[in-house]
Amino acid sequence: VQVLAKGKLSKSIADEAINSCSHVQNLREAIYTFKIKLEHPSSVIEAKGLREQGLNYLLRYFYLIAFTNYLLERDLENVTFKDWLKERNEIQNLAADRNRIDFT
């Protein structure tokens, strides 16, 4: 949120979209569920799998917020989301650094 030009607004809009689709699944609740499950895994293998699944959900949330920001700040040149991301190394670096994320 901090590296995006309209990060707070983007997160707020993304959260509203998640809430309106929560009858299917609430992404934030799913992330929290994985966090809770990781506190007491039954094995190292289970912990590894839960962490990977949780990271996948967190990455979806991350890109949803980034995509919302893209929609809010794009100009009339019709730059694709992919090209918009290429111009923002800070976003790419955050998404690539999965090992740095700690659920605990």
Side-chain angles (χ1 to χ4, degrees), residues 37-96:
K37 287 181 179 180
L38 268 170
E39 291 175 0
H40 304 288
S42 61
S43 68
V44 173
I45 293 172
E46 181 188 36
K48 207 172 176 183
L50 288 170
R51 185 177 191 285
E52 188 63 29
Q53 287 178 307
L55 284 173
N56 287 337
Y57 277 104
L58 197 55
L59 198 58
R60 289 176 196 164
Y61 187 40
F62 174 84
Y63 278 116
L64 181 59
I65 294 169
F67 184 71
T68 303
N69 193 90
Y70 155 76
L71 292 174
L72 290 171
E73 76 172 30
R74 71 181 181 154
D75 55 19
L76 298 176
E77 295 177 20
N78 289 331
V79 175
T80 66
F81 181 57
K82 185 176 179 179
D83 289 339
W84 182 85
L85 279 175
K86 285 180 186 175
E87 297 173 8
R88 285 156 182 81
N89 288 333
E90 66 281 8
I91 296 172
Q92 294 292 347
N93 291 341
L94 285 170

Side-chain angles (χ1 to χ4, degrees), residues 16-49:
E16 284 182 42
I18 289 169
N19 291 343
S20 67
C21 296
S22 65
H23 62 282
V24 177
Q25 182 182 40
N26 187 307
L27 193 54
R28 290 185 323 277
E29 289 176 7
I31 292 166
Y32 183 72
T33 298
F34 281 103
K35 178 190 181 313
I36 297 300
K37 287 181 179 180
L38 268 170
E39 291 175 0
H40 304 288
S42 61
S43 68
V44 173
I45 293 172
E46 181 188 36
K48 207 172 176 183

